[in-house]
Amino acid sequence: MSKIAEIVYEKIKSGEYASGINLPETAALAKEFGVSVEEVEKAMSALVYEGVLERQYVKEIKCMRVSKAGELGVLGGILSLTKEAIKRGMTPGSKVLDYGILPAGMFLGDKLGISPDEKVIIVERLRTVDGTPVAIETSNIPLKYMPDVSESMFEATGADASTFDLMDKSGIHLAKAADIVSAVKLEKREAELLDMEEGEPILQRERWTWDDQGRLAKWSRAFFKAKSRYEMNLR
């Protein structure tokens, strides 16, 4: 999460921005924080996806801390976009959109159950299959688990595009995950990256992943360009 999003998140948690109030206009926030309007828009979009904001309104924060992760539905296996594409005879790929190693801050500290001062690898990638954009994924990994990380490691094709495999090579063997899956409306930036329309519905997945020692090793958010359907037999 960007520095601006982190500042707004802290203001909401502290009560400075109360539930239900109107936020200042984007231009006013940009002037206050000394950044561009585009940076503010990106930060606001991140908070909208997180459920902290409704467009220009602050919602009551329902912060799901890691200590309650056991209440989530735990998957029987860890699904991988990379492995699924290869299984179907397709070529997965990745393009790094944003990369950095930063202090977790309050937001990621809440998500990962770590100190706000602890360093986190933050990498946002556009995921492709046979060259076509299919997902945007942001992975957040405590630096202590991949101390020798580099940006180039995340921009690869084929089997090397898998974050799971990258972490495995660093000695972190992922064992289980818990997901929250929901439908959200696309913000402008993500819609352009996925060649979709702003406001179109898309599948959003939040995932907490633990290693084989029970340590929370990663929190990620992804938007999947996918069609869903249900089949039901009635008697």
Side-chain angles (χ1 to χ4, degrees):
M1 183 169 285
S2 71
K3 181 179 178 180
I4 303 306
E6 178 73 16
I7 291 171
V8 174
Y9 182 77
E10 290 178 1
K11 286 178 179 289
I12 295 169
K13 288 203 73 172
S14 70
E16 184 175 341
Y17 287 163
S19 177
I21 69 164
N22 243 352
L23 284 181
E25 295 290 332
T26 302
L29 288 173
K31 184 176 180 180
E32 178 183 347
F33 298 138
V35 298
S36 68
V37 170
E38 289 74 20
E39 286 180 84
V40 173
E41 277 292 347
K42 184 178 178 180
M44 296 301 103
S45 292
L47 291 168
V48 168
Y49 285 132
E50 181 56 28
V52 174
L53 299 179
E54 286 181 344
R55 270 287 162 194
Q56 300 303 319
Y57 291 92
V58 178
K59 295 175 65 178
E60 178 184 357
I61 293 180
K62 296 181 179 178
C63 183
M64 183 175 57
R65 293 183 179 275
V66 173
S67 61
K68 297 183 180 179
E71 297 173 7
L72 305 178
V74 179
L75 302 177
I78 299 178
L79 304 179
S80 166
L81 186 152
T82 301
K83 291 179 180 177
E84 184 64 25
I86 292 173
K87 186 170 73 175
R88 293 171 180 259
M90 300 173 172
T91 302
S94 294
K95 177 184 177 182
V96 174
L97 301 173
D98 199 8
Y99 175 86
I101 298 174
L102 302 168
M106 188 180 293
F107 177 80
L108 286 180
D110 284 347
K111 291 291 185 181
L112 290 165
I114 59 178
S115 163
D117 297 326
E118 187 168 335
K119 293 291 183 67
V120 176
I121 304 159
I122 304 171
V123 57
E124 181 187 39
R125 297 188 295 171
L126 181 66
R127 308 299 302 277
T128 62
V129 173
D130 288 344
T132 300
V134 296
I136 300 170
E137 180 182 39
T138 303
S139 298
N140 303 276
I141 305 164
L143 180 62
K144 62 188 176 186
Y145 296 133
M146 296 182 70
D148 298 322
V149 71
S150 66
E151 181 176 350
S152 61
M153 293 169 62
F154 292 96
E155 194 154 346
T157 57
D160 291 335
S162 170
T163 305
F164 297 128
D165 288 343
L166 286 175
M167 295 186 75
D168 191 67
K169 291 173 183 177
S170 297
I172 303 300
H173 310 300
L174 302 180
K176 70 173 185 177
D179 285 359
I180 293 179
V181 179
S182 56
V184 298
K185 291 183 179 180
L186 271 178
E187 297 283 302
K188 181 179 179 181
R189 172 179 175 269
E190 288 75 18
E192 290 175 350
L193 288 167
L194 291 170
D195 194 24
M196 296 174 68
E197 296 294 326
E198 183 180 358
E200 253 190 277
I202 195 168
L203 195 66
Q204 174 182 261
R205 184 199 69 197
E206 284 189 81
R207 171 170 286 181
W208 288 258
T209 311
W210 291 264
D211 68 6
D212 56 1
Q213 297 182 48
R215 300 174 298 183
L216 182 58
K218 177 185 173 187
W219 174 73
S220 62
R221 172 186 282 115
F223 303 101
F224 288 98
K225 191 176 181 180
K227 293 181 179 179
S228 301
R229 105 181 156 178
Y230 295 89
E231 293 185 8
M232 182 182 299
N233 294 321
L234 301 176
R235 294 184 180 178

